[in-house]
Amino acid sequence: MKKFSAVLAILGLLTYVDSSHAAQKDASSEQIQPVVPERLLDDTHMNEELGINEFTAPSIKKIFEDLEGLPAIPEGSILRARPARLPMDRCSLALQLGGMMADGFVIVQCGKMNEVKPIALELSNYAKALGAGERVNRHAASLLKNAEDGDLVNFKNNLAMIQSDVEDELASLRDSDMANLIGLGGWIRALDAATAALCAKFSEEKAKVIFQPDVPDYFRYVLDGVSPEMKERRDVASIMAHLRLLEEQMTLQKGKMPTLQNVEALRHTTAAMMKVALGDAGVKKLQSPAL
């Protein structure tokens, strides 16, 4: 009986050690697992109960607020050509929808309000293809009215509401991959505009805001976890490679300020990633003198 009790004690100890090791491993995994950078979460994410979950993606509105104070975006990088027809796969649909939302922020920031109508129409078409068209249509009319009135604040708010509504619809479909790909498409376009502005008029103090290696790290983690079918797409692997390079390029040595050469390196990598993620048409207007 004593021998049996001793065996049980040893087994119990081994179980405890094993479970403690597993818990430490899980805790360690949680520490290195990227989460959405808090500064890129909007008010709805921060205020709603359990708002930060697997369907939460960086807010495109917050991404652009993060870039406020940068120099003016060069004329050649304000407008970009977009694909003539809707892509056939949902991965491209989500990335390009995010890119178009970012186009909307670029347009209002640069005062190109006459370009709002085609953006609003395209947003509706892409959202419909993703299964969230009904939610988005009610905002499209508001975008046109905001543009007509020159109401930039509500224009940006309506763009943010479009992303939130699409995210909610994708959550109901249990499709977290698409929500994050929309955020990725918006961030890529925002980084394109930011690097164009800084290459045209460099300021090391203003450039610091785009050196955020945690953002490409987060999106690389997201892409690594997409469905196997989506991951088999050749461009997903390419986007991940570009994100890894951006993470390296955005990591500055302690105490070092960014240089124009650093920004130019980011610009070249971003241009290459734009071509892969947002389509060949997305880089037709990227050939600025800054490159």
Side-chain angles (χ1 to χ4, degrees):
M1 188 70 177
K2 288 183 179 180
K3 185 181 292 187
F4 182 68
S5 299
V7 170
L8 285 178
I10 292 171
L11 286 174
L13 179 61
L14 290 174
T15 301
Y16 171 77
V17 171
D18 184 62
S19 61
S20 298
H21 175 71
Q24 290 174 0
K25 185 177 180 182
D26 289 342
S28 175
S29 298
E30 287 178 3
Q31 289 177 354
I32 63 172
Q33 176 177 313
V35 295
V36 184
E38 188 172 313
R39 65 183 178 281
L40 300 185
L41 293 170
D42 63 20
D43 293 339
T44 59
H45 291 145
M46 300 303 289
N47 294 334
E48 290 178 3
E49 185 179 0
L50 300 179
I52 302 174
N53 53 52
E54 63 179 311
F55 300 100
T56 297
S59 163
I60 296 173
K61 180 184 177 184
K62 282 292 185 181
I63 289 170
F64 274 88
E65 286 180 3
D66 223 24
L67 302 178
E68 285 180 1
L70 291 182
I73 300 170
E75 189 71 24
S77 296
I78 296 173
L79 302 177
R80 68 182 182 93
R82 287 178 293 276
R85 57 180 61 87
L86 291 175
M88 298 299 292
D89 65 283
R90 287 172 63 78
C91 176
S92 296
L93 277 169
L95 286 167
Q96 290 180 21
L97 177 59
M100 279 188 291
M101 289 182 189
D103 285 337
F105 283 99
V106 170
I107 284 169
V108 297
Q109 187 171 329
C110 299
K112 301 285 186 181
M113 304 305 284
N114 58 324
E115 298 292 334
V116 167
K117 186 173 182 179
I119 289 283
L121 293 174
E122 286 191 82
L123 285 175
S124 294
N125 291 335
Y126 274 74
K128 182 179 179 181
L130 280 175
E134 188 173 333
R135 288 174 177 259
V136 171
N137 282 339
R138 64 175 179 246
H139 296 301
S142 297
L143 290 178
L144 296 174
K145 183 69 166 61
N146 297 152
E148 185 180 321
D149 296 343
D151 189 348
L152 305 188
V153 173
N154 279 321
F155 185 94
K156 293 178 180 180
N157 287 338
N158 271 299
L159 277 175
M161 289 172 70
I162 287 176
Q163 184 184 6
S164 179
D165 277 357
V166 173
E167 194 174 288
D168 288 344
E169 186 65 33
L170 292 171
S172 72
L173 297 172
R174 310 301 299 171
D175 202 341
S176 59
D177 290 344
M178 294 300 101
N180 278 296
L181 287 172
I182 290 170
L184 173 58
W187 178 74
I188 292 171
R189 175 63 174 119
L191 187 60
D192 161 62
T195 53
L198 287 164
C199 281
K201 189 176 181 181
F202 178 75
S203 161
E204 66 176 24
E205 190 63 36
K206 291 180 177 180
K208 285 194 301 183
V209 72
I210 68 171
F211 285 80
Q212 301 172 355
D214 59 332
V215 180
D217 176 51
Y218 168 75
F219 281 122
R220 190 161 53 81
Y221 168 79
V222 166
L223 286 179
D224 193 43
V226 299
S227 64
E229 296 81 6
M230 191 180 298
K231 206 169 183 181
E232 287 176 3
R233 288 174 50 85
R234 182 179 57 186
D235 57 354
V236 169
S238 179
I239 294 170
M240 288 182 68
H242 284 105
L243 288 170
R244 184 184 295 277
L245 179 56
L246 281 174
E247 185 182 348
E248 293 173 1
Q249 292 173 335
M250 288 181 176
T251 303
L252 300 172
Q253 292 183 4
K254 189 175 181 180
K256 295 290 185 180
M257 293 290 284
T259 65
L260 176 58
Q261 289 71 32
N262 293 145
V263 175
E264 288 174 338
L266 292 182
R267 177 109 182 101
H268 280 288
T269 305
T270 304
M273 187 165 57
M274 279 270 291
K275 184 174 182 178
V276 177
L278 303 184
D280 289 344
V283 295
K284 284 182 179 177
K285 297 202 174 188
L286 287 180
Q287 305 304 318
S288 69
L291 286 174

